Amino acid sequence: MSFDVVIVGAGCAGLGAAAALREAGLNSIVLEASHRVGGRAHTDASASFGNAVFDRGASWLHAAERNPLVPIAQAAGVALTDSDRHSARRTIVGDRLATDAERAEFDASCERFEHVTEAHAAESTDSSVADAIAPLRTDPWTATVETWEAAQIAAADPRLLSVRDLHRNQLVGSNLNVDAGLGHFVQHHLAPLAGEIRLGAPVSRISWHRAGGGIAVDTPDGTIVARACIVTVSTGVLAQGAIGFDPLLPADIVDAIQGLPMGLLTKIALRATDSDRFGLPDYCGLSRRVEEPFAPNISFLAWPMGCDHIVGFLGGHTAWSFAGQEPRATDAFAREHLRRLIGAAAERSLVTAAVTDWGTDPLFLGAYAYALPGYSTARDKLAEPMADGRLIFAGEATCTDGLAGTVGGAWNSGRAAAQTVRSMLSRRSSTARLATLP
C-alpha cells in the first residue's frame, strides 16, 4: 500500500507529525519498532508499584506555560499536578543539613552560574560548560550547581556540553506531573490522534532518491512506498547506523548527528515497605553538596504525587558509568548515597522496584540528545529537510524552540516536520496540475 507520508517512530515526535498530517487530510502511517507507543515516555503501572505509577522516562510537562501538550491534557480533563508548588528541599553538607545561610549561598551560586553561562553563550566561540564556569571554581557550591544543570538536567557531562546549547534550552516555567503518568497520557490521549500505527515494525533501510521521487521504507513485512518520510528515532540510533539510508546521508547531516550524542538519565525507584515516610514530605528533593567537580552523584525525589517510593536520578557521566552493568550496581550506589542522606533505617525498609536502562536499550541508546561544544547549531542542521522535503528528521534532538529533551519539544518538532512535508506535497501537486493543462 502507498501512503502520502511514512513516519518512523511512535514517540511524541512521530505522534505529533501523524496528528498534524491527519488534520490536513493526508494519508500517513507510523512505523514503530517496539510493541508500544510513547518512545521515551513510558509509564510503569506494574505490580511492583502497587496502586502507584512510575514514569520510567519523561516525567514532567516542563515549561508548562508554553508546552503544547498542556492544553491537550487540560481539554481532555487529564489531572495535572504542579510539583513546584508542593516541593520541598533537603540538602546535606557533610553529615548535616545545610543551614539557611548555606541554602542562600547555593541560590546565589545558581545566579552566578546563570550569569556566566549566559555571557559565554553570547561569545563568538562556543565552549564547554565546564570551561565557561572555570572562574567560579572557588565557590564551594559551583560543583553542585554544575552537576544539577549539566548532569541532572541536560543529562550530559559538563566537560562535553555546549554552553550555548545549555543556555538555549533553559526550561523556565512550571513543571506539571500527569497524575496517571506521562506515558499513560501519551498512550491514551496522543496516540489516538495519530491514525494508523504499526507496532513491531522496525525499519532497516530508507531509499530516499528513487526514480520519479518518493520514498521506499524497508521493514520485515515488506517495503512501504510513500511520497515523503519523517524519521523520529534518536540520534543514538542514527549514529549507530541501525537504519540504512540509500543514498548515504549528506556529510553535514552525519556531522550534525555526531555532534548531538545522547545524554543519559537513569532512574532507580525504591519503594517503601511500610507506612514510615522518615519525616519527609511529598515531593521532597534530597541531595548532597558536591565537593569535587565531576564527582559521581545522585539526587532523590521522595514520595512524588504522594506515591510510596523514592526515585533516584543519576545523570550524565555517572549514569553512563553504570550503563551495561547489572542493576544491583546502580542499586548499591543509590543506597549508599541515600543512607548518608536519611539514615540506614530508611534503607532497610525500601525495596528496589525499578532501575531504568535507556542507555543500553537498542531502540534508544540514551535518554535525550545534547550538543557538543562547537555544535550549538547542529539541531538546526538536523531539522533541515532533504530531497526537497521528501526526507526530514524530527524529535527532541531537532528542537530549536528551547524545549529540547522534552516531550513537548518532540511534539512541536514532529508537527513542524509535518508542515514542511505538507507544503512540499502541496507544491508538487500544484506543479503536477499545471503540467496537465493544455
Side-chain angles (χ1 to χ4, degrees):
M1 182 177 179
S2 181
F3 294 88
D4 290 320
V5 186
V6 61
I7 300 163
V8 183
C12 279
L15 298 177
L21 293 168
R22 190 182 186 192
E23 292 165 10
L26 293 172
N27 181 26
S28 69
I29 183 172
V30 181
L31 303 178
E32 168 57 45
S34 74
H35 293 278
R36 63 171 180 82
V37 300
R40 284 160 274 172
H42 177 38
T43 298
D44 187 339
S46 66
S48 298
F49 294 94
N51 296 322
V53 297
F54 172 63
D55 276 314
R56 301 182 71 91
S59 303
W60 284 275
L61 295 176
H62 293 293
E65 290 75 13
R66 63 189 181 98
N67 190 310
L69 300 182
V70 171
I72 296 175
Q74 291 171 334
V78 172
L80 303 174
T81 298
D82 186 344
S83 61
D84 298 329
R85 290 188 177 183
H86 303 281
S87 63
R89 185 178 73 188
R90 293 198 178 179
T91 303
I92 300 296
V93 177
D95 58 358
R96 58 173 175 78
L97 278 173
T99 64
D100 290 344
E102 287 168 330
R103 286 193 291 269
E105 290 170 2
F106 171 77
D107 292 338
S109 184
C110 289
E111 292 182 6
R112 286 190 290 272
F113 179 95
E114 182 177 352
H115 175 75
V116 168
T117 53
E118 181 179 6
H120 274 269
E123 293 183 355
S124 58
T125 302
D126 193 15
S127 64
S128 72
V129 170
D131 287 344
I133 65 167
L136 302 179
R137 288 295 175 201
T138 56
D139 183 332
W141 288 100
T142 290
T144 306
V145 180
E146 179 183 49
T147 298
W148 175 254
E149 294 288 348
Q152 297 276 290
I153 302 299
D157 186 329
R159 294 164 290 191
L160 300 176
L161 173 60
S162 158
V163 70
R164 286 181 181 169
D165 195 58
L166 175 80
H167 180 67
R168 186 182 197 182
N169 294 293
Q170 293 294 313
L171 299 174
V172 178
S174 304
N175 299 293
L176 305 183
N177 279 126
V178 179
D179 290 7
L182 183 48
H184 180 274
F185 165 69
V186 172
Q187 179 183 359
H188 293 279
H189 295 279
L190 299 186
L193 305 176
E196 184 174 356
I197 301 173
R198 188 174 299 175
L199 301 178
V203 170
S204 58
R205 178 171 293 274
I206 299 173
S207 300
W208 56 287
H209 261 313
R210 302 178 74 232
I215 299 281
V217 178
D218 295 339
T219 76
D221 296 324
T223 298
I224 296 175
V225 177
R227 299 168 67 192
C229 179
I230 300 174
V231 180
T232 72
V233 301
S234 75
T235 55
V237 171
L238 292 174
Q240 190 190 52
I243 298 175
F245 290 88
D246 183 19
L248 297 176
L249 294 173
D252 56 350
I253 297 296
V254 173
D255 187 54
I257 292 169
Q258 296 296 332
L260 292 167
M262 293 293 283
L264 185 58
L265 187 66
T266 296
K267 297 182 185 180
I268 177 170
L270 302 169
R271 187 181 176 198
T273 58
D274 55 40
S275 60
D276 187 1
R277 294 296 180 267
F278 320 122
L280 302 174
D282 291 351
Y283 284 108
C284 184
L286 300 167
S287 62
R288 296 182 60 81
R289 185 168 72 181
V290 180
E291 301 296 345
E292 297 291 337
F294 324 122
N297 190 62
I298 182 172
S299 64
F300 297 89
L301 181 62
W303 328 129
M305 294 187 290
C307 295
D308 63 352
H309 53 265
I310 296 176
V311 183
F313 298 83
L314 296 80
H317 51 292
T318 300
W320 281 118
S321 71
F322 287 97
Q325 296 189 44
E326 291 293 325
R328 62 175 176 268
T330 305
D331 183 61
F333 177 81
R335 289 177 179 276
E336 175 189 352
H337 280 257
L338 188 61
R339 181 172 58 248
R340 296 164 64 189
L341 289 168
I342 57 177
E347 180 192 348
R348 288 193 298 270
S349 64
L350 296 168
V351 297
T352 303
V355 178
T356 61
D357 59 352
W358 298 106
T360 56
D361 188 321
L363 299 183
F364 305 101
L365 298 176
Y368 39 91
Y370 66 95
L372 296 172
Y375 283 89
S376 61
T377 61
R379 299 184 190 276
D380 308 75
K381 172 56 65 176
L382 190 58
E384 290 181 3
M386 293 168 280
D388 192 33
R390 291 193 300 275
L391 176 65
I392 187 169
F393 290 106
E396 56 83 17
T398 70
C399 285
T400 58
D401 58 3
L403 291 174
T406 72
V407 290
W411 179 265
N412 276 345
S413 76
R415 293 188 67 87
Q419 179 57 50
T420 298
V421 168
R422 178 186 176 187
S423 298
M424 178 275 294
L425 295 178
S426 179
R427 290 194 306 271
R428 289 172 66 88
S429 296
S430 297
T431 301
R433 284 195 298 271
L434 288 172
T436 62
L437 294 176

